[in-house]
PDB file of all heavy atoms in Angstrom:
ATOM      1  N   LEU O   1    -127.136-108.280  42.557  1.00  0.00           N
ATOM      2  CA  LEU O   1    -128.034-109.329  42.097  1.00  0.00           C
ATOM      3  C   LEU O   1    -129.323-108.778  41.505  1.00  0.00           C
ATOM      4  O   LEU O   1    -130.041-109.493  40.812  1.00  0.00           O
ATOM      5  CB  LEU O   1    -128.366-110.278  43.252  1.00  0.00           C
ATOM      6  CG  LEU O   1    -127.245-111.223  43.686  1.00  0.00           C
ATOM      7  CD1 LEU O   1    -127.660-111.995  44.927  1.00  0.00           C
ATOM      8  CD2 LEU O   1    -126.867-112.180  42.567  1.00  0.00           C
ATOM      9  N   GLY O   2    -129.614-107.529  41.774  1.00  0.00           N
ATOM     10  CA  GLY O   2    -130.813-106.912  41.210  1.00  0.00           C
ATOM     11  C   GLY O   2    -130.569-106.171  39.915  1.00  0.00           C
ATOM     12  O   GLY O   2    -131.469-105.505  39.397  1.00  0.00           O
ATOM     13  N   SER O   3    -129.373-106.277  39.346  1.00  0.00           N
ATOM     14  CA  SER O   3    -129.011-105.522  38.140  1.00  0.00           C
ATOM     15  C   SER O   3    -129.522-106.232  36.891  1.00  0.00           C
ATOM     16  O   SER O   3    -128.878-107.123  36.340  1.00  0.00           O
ATOM     17  CB  SER O   3    -127.488-105.362  38.063  1.00  0.00           C
ATOM     18  OG  SER O   3    -127.112-104.665  36.895  1.00  0.00           O
ATOM     19  N   VAL O   4    -130.692-105.826  36.431  1.00  0.00           N
ATOM     20  CA  VAL O   4    -131.353-106.535  35.333  1.00  0.00           C
ATOM     21  C   VAL O   4    -130.586-106.413  34.021  1.00  0.00           C
ATOM     22  O   VAL O   4    -130.716-107.274  33.141  1.00  0.00           O
ATOM     23  CB  VAL O   4    -132.809-106.039  35.183  1.00  0.00           C
ATOM     24  CG1 VAL O   4    -132.850-104.607  34.656  1.00  0.00           C
ATOM     25  CG2 VAL O   4    -133.614-106.958  34.286  1.00  0.00           C
ATOM     26  N   ASN O   5    -129.760-105.372  33.876  1.00  0.00           N
ATOM     27  CA  ASN O   5    -129.007-105.234  32.625  1.00  0.00           C
ATOM     28  C   ASN O   5    -127.919-106.289  32.472  1.00  0.00           C
ATOM     29  O   ASN O   5    -127.291-106.381  31.420  1.00  0.00           O
ATOM     30  CB  ASN O   5    -128.412-103.830  32.515  1.00  0.00           C
ATOM     31  CG  ASN O   5    -129.466-102.803  32.152  1.00  0.00           C
ATOM     32  OD1 ASN O   5    -130.514-103.143  31.611  1.00  0.00           O
ATOM     33  ND2 ASN O   5    -129.209-101.546  32.461  1.00  0.00           N
ATOM     34  N   ARG O   6    -127.702-107.114  33.500  1.00  0.00           N
ATOM     35  CA  ARG O   6    -126.843-108.284  33.347  1.00  0.00           C
ATOM     36  C   ARG O   6    -127.417-109.263  32.326  1.00  0.00           C
ATOM     37  O   ARG O   6    -126.698-110.087  31.771  1.00  0.00           O
ATOM     38  CB  ARG O   6    -126.708-109.014  34.687  1.00  0.00           C
ATOM     39  CG  ARG O   6    -125.944-108.282  35.762  1.00  0.00           C
ATOM     40  CD  ARG O   6    -125.939-109.096  37.036  1.00  0.00           C
ATOM     41  NE  ARG O   6    -125.036-108.551  38.032  1.00  0.00           N
ATOM     42  CZ  ARG O   6    -124.589-109.239  39.074  1.00  0.00           C
ATOM     43  NH1 ARG O   6    -124.972-110.493  39.241  1.00  0.00           N
ATOM     44  NH2 ARG O   6    -123.772-108.686  39.941  1.00  0.00           N
ATOM     45  N   LEU O   7    -128.740-109.210  32.129  1.00  0.00           N
ATOM     46  CA  LEU O   7    -129.417-110.170  31.266  1.00  0.00           C
ATOM     47  C   LEU O   7    -129.505-109.711  29.820  1.00  0.00           C
ATOM     48  O   LEU O   7    -129.918-110.488  28.948  1.00  0.00           O
ATOM     49  CB  LEU O   7    -130.833-110.420  31.796  1.00  0.00           C
ATOM     50  CG  LEU O   7    -130.933-110.894  33.253  1.00  0.00           C
ATOM     51  CD1 LEU O   7    -132.389-110.934  33.691  1.00  0.00           C
ATOM     52  CD2 LEU O   7    -130.280-112.252  33.429  1.00  0.00           C
ATOM     53  N   VAL O   8    -129.141-108.455  29.556  1.00  0.00           N
ATOM     54  CA  VAL O   8    -129.279-107.892  28.209  1.00  0.00           C
ATOM     55  C   VAL O   8    -128.158-108.414  27.317  1.00  0.00           C
ATOM     56  O   VAL O   8    -126.986-108.379  27.688  1.00  0.00           O
ATOM     57  CB  VAL O   8    -129.260-106.356  28.263  1.00  0.00           C
ATOM     58  CG1 VAL O   8    -129.292-105.762  26.862  1.00  0.00           C
ATOM     59  CG2 VAL O   8    -130.438-105.849  29.089  1.00  0.00           C
ATOM     60  N   THR O   9    -128.507-108.870  26.147  1.00  0.00           N
ATOM     61  CA  THR O   9    -127.511-109.414  25.229  1.00  0.00           C
ATOM     62  C   THR O   9    -126.702-108.298  24.582  1.00  0.00           C
ATOM     63  O   THR O   9    -126.994-107.113  24.745  1.00  0.00           O
ATOM     64  CB  THR O   9    -128.175-110.238  24.120  1.00  0.00           C
ATOM     65  OG1 THR O   9    -128.839-109.340  23.207  1.00  0.00           O
ATOM     66  CG2 THR O   9    -129.182-111.221  24.686  1.00  0.00           C
ATOM     67  N   SER O  10    -125.693-108.682  23.812  1.00  0.00           N
ATOM     68  CA  SER O  10    -124.853-107.718  23.114  1.00  0.00           C
ATOM     69  C   SER O  10    -125.425-107.324  21.757  1.00  0.00           C
ATOM     70  O   SER O  10    -124.762-106.613  20.992  1.00  0.00           O
ATOM     71  CB  SER O  10    -123.440-108.287  22.941  1.00  0.00           C
ATOM     72  OG  SER O  10    -122.870-108.586  24.196  1.00  0.00           O
ATOM     73  N   ALA O  11    -126.638-107.766  21.438  1.00  0.00           N
ATOM     74  CA  ALA O  11    -127.260-107.422  20.160  1.00  0.00           C
ATOM     75  C   ALA O  11    -127.526-105.923  20.084  1.00  0.00           C
ATOM     76  O   ALA O  11    -127.972-105.316  21.058  1.00  0.00           O
ATOM     77  CB  ALA O  11    -128.555-108.197  19.975  1.00  0.00           C
ATOM     78  N   LEU O  12    -127.260-105.324  18.920  1.00  0.00           N
ATOM     79  CA  LEU O  12    -127.441-103.888  18.727  1.00  0.00           C
ATOM     80  C   LEU O  12    -128.284-103.628  17.489  1.00  0.00           C
ATOM     81  O   LEU O  12    -128.248-104.391  16.517  1.00  0.00           O
ATOM     82  CB  LEU O  12    -126.084-103.192  18.566  1.00  0.00           C
ATOM     83  CG  LEU O  12    -125.065-103.339  19.699  1.00  0.00           C
ATOM     84  CD1 LEU O  12    -123.748-102.688  19.301  1.00  0.00           C
ATOM     85  CD2 LEU O  12    -125.596-102.725  20.980  1.00  0.00           C
ATOM     86  N   ASP O  13    -129.014-102.537  17.510  1.00  0.00           N
ATOM     87  CA  ASP O  13    -129.703-102.063  16.313  1.00  0.00           C
ATOM     88  C   ASP O  13    -128.647-101.740  15.260  1.00  0.00           C
ATOM     89  O   ASP O  13    -127.704-100.994  15.531  1.00  0.00           O
ATOM     90  CB  ASP O  13    -130.517-100.815  16.663  1.00  0.00           C
ATOM     91  CG  ASP O  13    -131.340-100.293  15.507  1.00  0.00           C
ATOM     92  OD1 ASP O  13    -130.743 -99.919  14.473  1.00  0.00           O
ATOM     93  OD2 ASP O  13    -132.572-100.211  15.637  1.00  0.00           O
ATOM     94  N   PRO O  14    -128.766-102.273  14.050  1.00  0.00           N
ATOM     95  CA  PRO O  14    -127.715-102.058  13.049  1.00  0.00           C
ATOM     96  C   PRO O  14    -127.593-100.620  12.567  1.00  0.00           C
ATOM     97  O   PRO O  14    -126.570-100.248  11.982  1.00  0.00           O
ATOM     98  CB  PRO O  14    -128.135-102.990  11.901  1.00  0.00           C
ATOM     99  CG  PRO O  14    -129.612-103.172  12.082  1.00  0.00           C
ATOM    100  CD  PRO O  14    -129.844-103.128  13.558  1.00  0.00           C
ATOM    101  N   ILE O  15    -128.601 -99.800  12.804  1.00  0.00           N
ATOM    102  CA  ILE O  15    -128.571 -98.411  12.344  1.00  0.00           C
ATOM    103  C   ILE O  15    -128.164 -97.474  13.471  1.00  0.00           C
ATOM    104  O   ILE O  15    -127.283 -96.629  13.307  1.00  0.00           O
ATOM    105  CB  ILE O  15    -129.946 -98.004  11.778  1.00  0.00           C
ATOM    106  CG1 ILE O  15    -130.328 -98.907  10.600  1.00  0.00           C
ATOM    107  CG2 ILE O  15    -129.943 -96.529  11.343  1.00  0.00           C
ATOM    108  CD1 ILE O  15    -131.757 -98.740  10.132  1.00  0.00           C
ATOM    109  N   SER O  16    -128.774 -97.625  14.637  1.00  0.00           N
ATOM    110  CA  SER O  16    -128.549 -96.686  15.738  1.00  0.00           C
ATOM    111  C   SER O  16    -127.554 -97.180  16.774  1.00  0.00           C
ATOM    112  O   SER O  16    -127.120 -96.415  17.633  1.00  0.00           O
ATOM    113  CB  SER O  16    -129.878 -96.409  16.452  1.00  0.00           C
ATOM    114  OG  SER O  16    -130.347 -97.579  17.109  1.00  0.00           O
ATOM    115  N   SER O  17    -127.222 -98.459  16.735  1.00  0.00           N
ATOM    116  CA  SER O  17    -126.394 -99.114  17.763  1.00  0.00           C
ATOM    117  C   SER O  17    -127.064 -99.099  19.126  1.00  0.00           C
ATOM    118  O   SER O  17    -126.396 -99.170  20.160  1.00  0.00           O
ATOM    119  CB  SER O  17    -124.998 -98.476  17.848  1.00  0.00           C
ATOM    120  OG  SER O  17    -124.290 -98.657  16.643  1.00  0.00           O
ATOM    121  N   MET O  18    -128.376 -99.031  19.154  1.00  0.00           N
ATOM    122  CA  MET O  18    -129.135 -99.151  20.392  1.00  0.00           C
ATOM    123  C   MET O  18    -129.093-100.593  20.874  1.00  0.00           C
ATOM    124  O   MET O  18    -129.375-101.514  20.109  1.00  0.00           O
ATOM    125  CB  MET O  18    -130.586 -98.729  20.164  1.00  0.00           C
ATOM    126  CG  MET O  18    -131.534 -99.059  21.309  1.00  0.00           C
ATOM    127  SD  MET O  18    -131.264 -98.072  22.787  1.00  0.00           S
ATOM    128  CE  MET O  18    -132.133 -96.569  22.320  1.00  0.00           C
ATOM    129  N   PRO O  19    -128.760-100.838  22.146  1.00  0.00           N
ATOM    130  CA  PRO O  19    -128.837-102.198  22.680  1.00  0.00           C
ATOM    131  C   PRO O  19    -130.284-102.663  22.811  1.00  0.00           C
ATOM    132  O   PRO O  19    -131.208-101.866  22.958  1.00  0.00           O
ATOM    133  CB  PRO O  19    -128.185-102.069  24.062  1.00  0.00           C
ATOM    134  CG  PRO O  19    -127.378-100.811  23.995  1.00  0.00           C
ATOM    135  CD  PRO O  19    -128.133 -99.896  23.082  1.00  0.00           C
ATOM    136  N   ALA O  20    -130.460-103.973  22.798  1.00  0.00           N
ATOM    137  CA  ALA O  20    -131.799-104.562  22.898  1.00  0.00           C
ATOM    138  C   ALA O  20    -132.157-104.756  24.361  1.00  0.00           C
ATOM    139  O   ALA O  20    -132.237-105.873  24.879  1.00  0.00           O
ATOM    140  CB  ALA O  20    -131.842-105.888  22.142  1.00  0.00           C
ATOM    141  N   PHE O  21    -132.415-103.655  25.059  1.00  0.00           N
ATOM    142  CA  PHE O  21    -132.698-103.696  26.493  1.00  0.00           C
ATOM    143  C   PHE O  21    -134.017-104.396  26.822  1.00  0.00           C
ATOM    144  O   PHE O  21    -134.168-104.970  27.896  1.00  0.00           O
ATOM    145  CB  PHE O  21    -132.779-102.274  27.061  1.00  0.00           C
ATOM    146  CG  PHE O  21    -131.457-101.599  27.254  1.00  0.00           C
ATOM    147  CD1 PHE O  21    -131.030-100.600  26.384  1.00  0.00           C
ATOM    148  CD2 PHE O  21    -130.638-101.937  28.310  1.00  0.00           C
ATOM    149  CE1 PHE O  21    -129.818 -99.958  26.575  1.00  0.00           C
ATOM    150  CE2 PHE O  21    -129.426-101.310  28.512  1.00  0.00           C
ATOM    151  CZ  PHE O  21    -129.008-100.315  27.641  1.00  0.00           C
ATOM    152  N   LYS O  22    -135.005-104.313  25.926  1.00  0.00           N
ATOM    153  CA  LYS O  22    -136.374-104.605  26.318  1.00  0.00           C
ATOM    154  C   LYS O  22    -136.844-106.030  26.036  1.00  0.00           C
ATOM    155  O   LYS O  22    -138.008-106.329  26.314  1.00  0.00           O
ATOM    156  CB  LYS O  22    -137.328-103.643  25.603  1.00  0.00           C
ATOM    157  CG  LYS O  22    -137.114-102.170  25.935  1.00  0.00           C
ATOM    158  CD  LYS O  22    -137.377-101.856  27.376  1.00  0.00           C
ATOM    159  CE  LYS O  22    -137.326-100.354  27.629  1.00  0.00           C
ATOM    160  NZ  LYS O  22    -137.403-100.023  29.052  1.00  0.00           N
ATOM    161  N   ASN O  23    -136.027-106.887  25.504  1.00  0.00           N
ATOM    162  CA  ASN O  23    -136.574-108.212  25.183  1.00  0.00           C
ATOM    163  C   ASN O  23    -135.581-109.338  25.448  1.00  0.00           C
ATOM    164  O   ASN O  23    -135.447-110.264  24.664  1.00  0.00           O
ATOM    165  CB  ASN O  23    -137.063-108.267  23.737  1.00  0.00           C
ATOM    166  CG  ASN O  23    -135.958-107.980  22.735  1.00  0.00           C
ATOM    167  OD1 ASN O  23    -134.892-107.489  23.084  1.00  0.00           O
ATOM    168  ND2 ASN O  23    -136.215-108.294  21.472  1.00  0.00           N
ATOM    169  N   ALA O  24    -134.879-109.273  26.593  1.00  0.00           N
ATOM    170  CA  ALA O  24    -134.038-110.389  26.992  1.00  0.00           C
ATOM    171  C   ALA O  24    -134.919-111.595  27.309  1.00  0.00           C
ATOM    172  O   ALA O  24    -135.940-111.477  27.974  1.00  0.00           O
ATOM    173  CB  ALA O  24    -133.194-110.013  28.203  1.00  0.00           C
ATOM    174  N   LYS O  25    -134.535-112.753  26.820  1.00  0.00           N
ATOM    175  CA  LYS O  25    -135.268-113.984  27.079  1.00  0.00           C
ATOM    176  C   LYS O  25    -134.597-114.724  28.225  1.00  0.00           C
ATOM    177  O   LYS O  25    -133.382-114.908  28.229  1.00  0.00           O
ATOM    178  CB  LYS O  25    -135.294-114.867  25.830  1.00  0.00           C
ATOM    179  CG  LYS O  25    -135.798-114.159  24.578  1.00  0.00           C
ATOM    180  CD  LYS O  25    -137.201-113.611  24.769  1.00  0.00           C
ATOM    181  CE  LYS O  25    -137.737-113.000  23.497  1.00  0.00           C
ATOM    182  NZ  LYS O  25    -136.998-111.806  23.057  1.00  0.00           N
ATOM    183  N   VAL O  26    -135.379-115.140  29.208  1.00  0.00           N
ATOM    184  CA  VAL O  26    -134.824-115.772  30.401  1.00  0.00           C
ATOM    185  C   VAL O  26    -135.662-116.964  30.817  1.00  0.00           C
ATOM    186  O   VAL O  26    -136.828-117.085  30.448  1.00  0.00           O
ATOM    187  CB  VAL O  26    -134.759-114.782  31.589  1.00  0.00           C
ATOM    188  CG1 VAL O  26    -133.862-113.606  31.271  1.00  0.00           C
ATOM    189  CG2 VAL O  26    -136.150-114.304  31.988  1.00  0.00           C
ATOM    190  N   THR O  27    -135.041-117.839  31.583  1.00  0.00           N
ATOM    191  CA  THR O  27    -135.808-118.808  32.342  1.00  0.00           C
ATOM    192  C   THR O  27    -135.970-118.272  33.753  1.00  0.00           C
ATOM    193  O   THR O  27    -135.129-117.521  34.252  1.00  0.00           O
ATOM    194  CB  THR O  27    -135.114-120.175  32.383  1.00  0.00           C
ATOM    195  OG1 THR O  27    -133.806-120.021  32.942  1.00  0.00           O
ATOM    196  CG2 THR O  27    -135.018-120.759  30.983  1.00  0.00           C
ATOM    197  N   ALA O  28    -137.056-118.659  34.385  1.00  0.00           N
ATOM    198  CA  ALA O  28    -137.356-118.159  35.723  1.00  0.00           C
ATOM    199  C   ALA O  28    -137.706-119.319  36.634  1.00  0.00           C
ATOM    200  O   ALA O  28    -138.409-120.248  36.230  1.00  0.00           O
ATOM    201  CB  ALA O  28    -138.531-117.177  35.655  1.00  0.00           C
ATOM    202  N   ARG O  29    -137.199-119.255  37.862  1.00  0.00           N
ATOM    203  CA  ARG O  29    -137.538-120.301  38.818  1.00  0.00           C
ATOM    204  C   ARG O  29    -137.403-119.765  40.243  1.00  0.00           C
ATOM    205  O   ARG O  29    -136.675-118.807  40.497  1.00  0.00           O
ATOM    206  CB  ARG O  29    -136.655-121.526  38.634  1.00  0.00           C
ATOM    207  CG  ARG O  29    -135.186-121.279  38.884  1.00  0.00           C
ATOM    208  CD  ARG O  29    -134.400-122.549  38.610  1.00  0.00           C
ATOM    209  NE  ARG O  29    -132.976-122.336  38.752  1.00  0.00           N
ATOM    210  CZ  ARG O  29    -132.071-123.266  38.495  1.00  0.00           C
ATOM    211  NH1 ARG O  29    -132.449-124.453  38.068  1.00  0.00           N
ATOM    212  NH2 ARG O  29    -130.791-123.009  38.643  1.00  0.00           N
ATOM    213  N   ALA O  30    -138.107-120.407  41.141  1.00  0.00           N
ATOM    214  CA  ALA O  30    -138.049-120.028  42.543  1.00  0.00           C
ATOM    215  C   ALA O  30    -136.727-120.476  43.144  1.00  0.00           C
ATOM    216  O   ALA O  30    -136.214-121.551  42.822  1.00  0.00           O
ATOM    217  CB  ALA O  30    -139.216-120.659  43.301  1.00  0.00           C
ATOM    218  N   VAL O  31    -136.176-119.640  44.032  1.00  0.00           N
ATOM    219  CA  VAL O  31    -134.921-119.964  44.707  1.00  0.00           C
ATOM    220  C   VAL O  31    -135.031-119.549  46.166  1.00  0.00           C
ATOM    221  O   VAL O  31    -135.881-118.732  46.536  1.00  0.00           O
ATOM    222  CB  VAL O  31    -133.718-119.247  44.051  1.00  0.00           C
ATOM    223  CG1 VAL O  31    -133.476-119.774  42.647  1.00  0.00           C
ATOM    224  CG2 VAL O  31    -133.928-117.730  44.036  1.00  0.00           C
ATOM    225  N   PRO O  32    -134.152-120.096  47.015  1.00  0.00           N
ATOM    226  CA  PRO O  32    -134.149-119.659  48.415  1.00  0.00           C
ATOM    227  C   PRO O  32    -133.654-118.223  48.530  1.00  0.00           C
ATOM    228  O   PRO O  32    -133.169-117.624  47.569  1.00  0.00           O
ATOM    229  CB  PRO O  32    -133.165-120.638  49.085  1.00  0.00           C
ATOM    230  CG  PRO O  32    -132.941-121.724  48.101  1.00  0.00           C
ATOM    231  CD  PRO O  32    -133.201-121.166  46.753  1.00  0.00           C
ATOM    232  N   THR O  33    -133.722-117.683  49.750  1.00  0.00           N
ATOM    233  CA  THR O  33    -133.226-116.337  50.001  1.00  0.00           C
ATOM    234  C   THR O  33    -131.753-116.251  49.626  1.00  0.00           C
ATOM    235  O   THR O  33    -130.936-117.037  50.117  1.00  0.00           O
ATOM    236  CB  THR O  33    -133.394-115.962  51.481  1.00  0.00           C
ATOM    237  OG1 THR O  33    -134.768-116.069  51.819  1.00  0.00           O
ATOM    238  CG2 THR O  33    -132.900-114.540  51.738  1.00  0.00           C
ATOM    239  N   PRO O  34    -131.368-115.321  48.729  1.00  0.00           N
ATOM    240  CA  PRO O  34    -129.975-115.250  48.292  1.00  0.00           C
ATOM    241  C   PRO O  34    -129.111-114.494  49.288  1.00  0.00           C
ATOM    242  O   PRO O  34    -129.606-113.706  50.101  1.00  0.00           O
ATOM    243  CB  PRO O  34    -130.069-114.464  46.983  1.00  0.00           C
ATOM    244  CG  PRO O  34    -131.223-113.534  47.216  1.00  0.00           C
ATOM    245  CD  PRO O  34    -132.212-114.314  48.072  1.00  0.00           C
ATOM    246  N   GLU O  35    -127.819-114.756  49.225  1.00  0.00           N
ATOM    247  CA  GLU O  35    -126.886-113.913  49.954  1.00  0.00           C
ATOM    248  C   GLU O  35    -126.746-112.601  49.202  1.00  0.00           C
ATOM    249  O   GLU O  35    -126.677-112.575  47.982  1.00  0.00           O
ATOM    250  CB  GLU O  35    -125.524-114.592  50.075  1.00  0.00           C
ATOM    251  CG  GLU O  35    -125.528-115.826  50.954  1.00  0.00           C
ATOM    252  CD  GLU O  35    -124.131-116.381  51.148  1.00  0.00           C
ATOM    253  OE1 GLU O  35    -123.166-115.690  50.757  1.00  0.00           O
ATOM    254  OE2 GLU O  35    -124.009-117.495  51.684  1.00  0.00           O
ATOM    255  N   ARG O  36    -126.679-111.510  49.961  1.00  0.00           N
ATOM    256  CA  ARG O  36    -126.564-110.188  49.339  1.00  0.00           C
ATOM    257  C   ARG O  36    -125.244-110.064  48.607  1.00  0.00           C
ATOM    258  O   ARG O  36    -124.200-110.438  49.128  1.00  0.00           O
ATOM    259  CB  ARG O  36    -126.663-109.101  50.415  1.00  0.00           C
ATOM    260  CG  ARG O  36    -126.507-107.686  49.898  1.00  0.00           C
ATOM    261  CD  ARG O  36    -126.648-106.728  51.085  1.00  0.00           C
ATOM    262  NE  ARG O  36    -126.488-105.347  50.689  1.00  0.00           N
ATOM    263  CZ  ARG O  36    -125.313-104.752  50.582  1.00  0.00           C
ATOM    264  NH1 ARG O  36    -124.208-105.413  50.799  1.00  0.00           N
ATOM    265  NH2 ARG O  36    -125.251-103.471  50.235  1.00  0.00           N
ATOM    266  N   GLU O  37    -125.284-109.526  47.402  1.00  0.00           N
ATOM    267  CA  GLU O  37    -124.056-109.238  46.655  1.00  0.00           C
ATOM    268  C   GLU O  37    -123.663-107.805  46.955  1.00  0.00           C
ATOM    269  O   GLU O  37    -124.396-106.869  46.654  1.00  0.00           O
ATOM    270  CB  GLU O  37    -124.278-109.429  45.160  1.00  0.00           C
ATOM    271  CG  GLU O  37    -123.011-109.212  44.347  1.00  0.00           C
ATOM    272  CD  GLU O  37    -123.215-109.619  42.896  1.00  0.00           C
ATOM    273  OE1 GLU O  37    -123.730-110.725  42.664  1.00  0.00           O
ATOM    274  OE2 GLU O  37    -122.853-108.833  42.020  1.00  0.00           O
ATOM    275  N   SER O  38    -122.512-107.612  47.545  1.00  0.00           N
ATOM    276  CA  SER O  38    -122.156-106.292  48.064  1.00  0.00           C
ATOM    277  C   SER O  38    -121.633-105.374  46.985  1.00  0.00           C
ATOM    278  O   SER O  38    -121.162-105.804  45.945  1.00  0.00           O
ATOM    279  CB  SER O  38    -121.099-106.432  49.161  1.00  0.00           C
ATOM    280  OG  SER O  38    -119.903-106.960  48.625  1.00  0.00           O
ATOM    281  N   HIS O  39    -121.743-104.092  47.269  1.00  0.00           N
ATOM    282  CA  HIS O  39    -121.096-103.045  46.493  1.00  0.00           C
ATOM    283  C   HIS O  39    -119.588-103.244  46.606  1.00  0.00           C
ATOM    284  O   HIS O  39    -119.088-103.591  47.673  1.00  0.00           O
ATOM    285  CB  HIS O  39    -121.511-101.695  47.087  1.00  0.00           C
ATOM    286  CG  HIS O  39    -121.030-100.495  46.342  1.00  0.00           C
ATOM    287  ND1 HIS O  39    -119.705-100.174  46.217  1.00  0.00           N
ATOM    288  CD2 HIS O  39    -121.719 -99.517  45.698  1.00  0.00           C
ATOM    289  CE1 HIS O  39    -119.590 -99.052  45.542  1.00  0.00           C
ATOM    290  NE2 HIS O  39    -120.801 -98.639  45.213  1.00  0.00           N
ATOM    291  N   PRO O  40    -118.817-103.071  45.537  1.00  0.00           N
ATOM    292  CA  PRO O  40    -117.381-103.319  45.592  1.00  0.00           C
ATOM    293  C   PRO O  40    -116.655-102.544  46.677  1.00  0.00           C
ATOM    294  O   PRO O  40    -115.617-102.977  47.157  1.00  0.00           O
ATOM    295  CB  PRO O  40    -116.896-102.890  44.195  1.00  0.00           C
ATOM    296  CG  PRO O  40    -118.090-103.046  43.323  1.00  0.00           C
ATOM    297  CD  PRO O  40    -119.264-102.710  44.190  1.00  0.00           C
ATOM    298  N   ASP O  41    -117.193-101.390  47.081  1.00  0.00           N
ATOM    299  CA  ASP O  41    -116.494-100.598  48.075  1.00  0.00           C
ATOM    300  C   ASP O  41    -117.299-100.394  49.353  1.00  0.00           C
ATOM    301  O   ASP O  41    -117.071 -99.458  50.098  1.00  0.00           O
ATOM    302  CB  ASP O  41    -116.119 -99.216  47.492  1.00  0.00           C
ATOM    303  CG  ASP O  41    -114.706 -99.220  46.936  1.00  0.00           C
ATOM    304  OD1 ASP O  41    -114.059-100.264  46.995  1.00  0.00           O
ATOM    305  OD2 ASP O  41    -114.268 -98.165  46.456  1.00  0.00           O
ATOM    306  N   ASP O  42    -118.233-101.292  49.634  1.00  0.00           N
ATOM    307  CA  ASP O  42    -119.055-101.144  50.839  1.00  0.00           C
ATOM    308  C   ASP O  42    -118.209-100.936  52.093  1.00  0.00           C
ATOM    309  O   ASP O  42    -118.460-100.045  52.895  1.00  0.00           O
ATOM    310  CB  ASP O  42    -119.896-102.406  51.056  1.00  0.00           C
ATOM    311  CG  ASP O  42    -121.206-102.331  50.293  1.00  0.00           C
ATOM    312  OD1 ASP O  42    -121.461-101.286  49.690  1.00  0.00           O
ATOM    313  OD2 ASP O  42    -121.949-103.314  50.307  1.00  0.00           O
ATOM    314  N   ALA O  43    -117.227-101.795  52.265  1.00  0.00           N
ATOM    315  CA  ALA O  43    -116.471-101.779  53.515  1.00  0.00           C
ATOM    316  C   ALA O  43    -115.708-100.480  53.706  1.00  0.00           C
ATOM    317  O   ALA O  43    -115.526-100.003  54.820  1.00  0.00           O
ATOM    318  CB  ALA O  43    -115.498-102.959  53.540  1.00  0.00           C
ATOM    319  N   ARG O  44    -115.254 -99.894  52.590  1.00  0.00           N
ATOM    320  CA  ARG O  44    -114.423 -98.694  52.712  1.00  0.00           C
ATOM    321  C   ARG O  44    -115.231 -97.414  52.774  1.00  0.00           C
ATOM    322  O   ARG O  44    -114.799 -96.436  53.355  1.00  0.00           O
ATOM    323  CB  ARG O  44    -113.449 -98.629  51.521  1.00  0.00           C
ATOM    324  CG  ARG O  44    -112.397 -99.710  51.543  1.00  0.00           C
ATOM    325  CD  ARG O  44    -111.284 -99.365  50.563  1.00  0.00           C
ATOM    326  NE  ARG O  44    -111.712 -99.489  49.182  1.00  0.00           N
ATOM    327  CZ  ARG O  44    -111.641-100.615  48.483  1.00  0.00           C
ATOM    328  NH1 ARG O  44    -111.205-101.718  49.038  1.00  0.00           N
ATOM    329  NH2 ARG O  44    -112.015-100.656  47.228  1.00  0.00           N
ATOM    330  N   THR O  45    -116.403 -97.403  52.150  1.00  0.00           N
ATOM    331  CA  THR O  45    -117.103 -96.132  51.987  1.00  0.00           C
ATOM    332  C   THR O  45    -118.427 -96.041  52.709  1.00  0.00           C
ATOM    333  O   THR O  45    -118.947 -94.952  52.916  1.00  0.00           O
ATOM    334  CB  THR O  45    -117.395 -95.879  50.499  1.00  0.00           C
ATOM    335  OG1 THR O  45    -118.360 -96.840  50.072  1.00  0.00           O
ATOM    336  CG2 THR O  45    -116.144 -96.013  49.655  1.00  0.00           C
ATOM    337  N   GLY O  46    -119.012 -97.168  53.030  1.00  0.00           N
ATOM    338  CA  GLY O  46    -120.361 -97.118  53.595  1.00  0.00           C
ATOM    339  C   GLY O  46    -121.385 -96.661  52.582  1.00  0.00           C
ATOM    340  O   GLY O  46    -122.454 -96.185  52.941  1.00  0.00           O
TER     341      GLY O  46
END
């Protein structure tokens, strides 16, 4: 849930193919305490 690159669009620089990491547009709002999103292999690997 803390992975901010989930918000980055698929837009790319037409010359370098650099992704547009730095200017994702979002709405923001307060929410209750979230449930933790686990690592896919937490249970097996620790």
Side-chain angles (χ1 to χ4, degrees):
L1 287 174
S3 179
V4 70
N5 284 339
R6 292 178 170 198
L7 304 173
V8 176
T9 73
S10 301
L12 302 175
D13 184 299
I15 300 170
S16 67
S17 296
M18 169 70 81
F21 284 105
K22 298 296 187 188
N23 60 346
K25 307 302 184 295
V26 299
T27 57
R29 63 183 176 184
V31 293
T33 302
E35 292 186 10
R36 178 179 179 275
E37 183 171 311
S38 64
H39 185 295
D41 265 1
D42 273 356
R44 292 195 289 272
T45 68

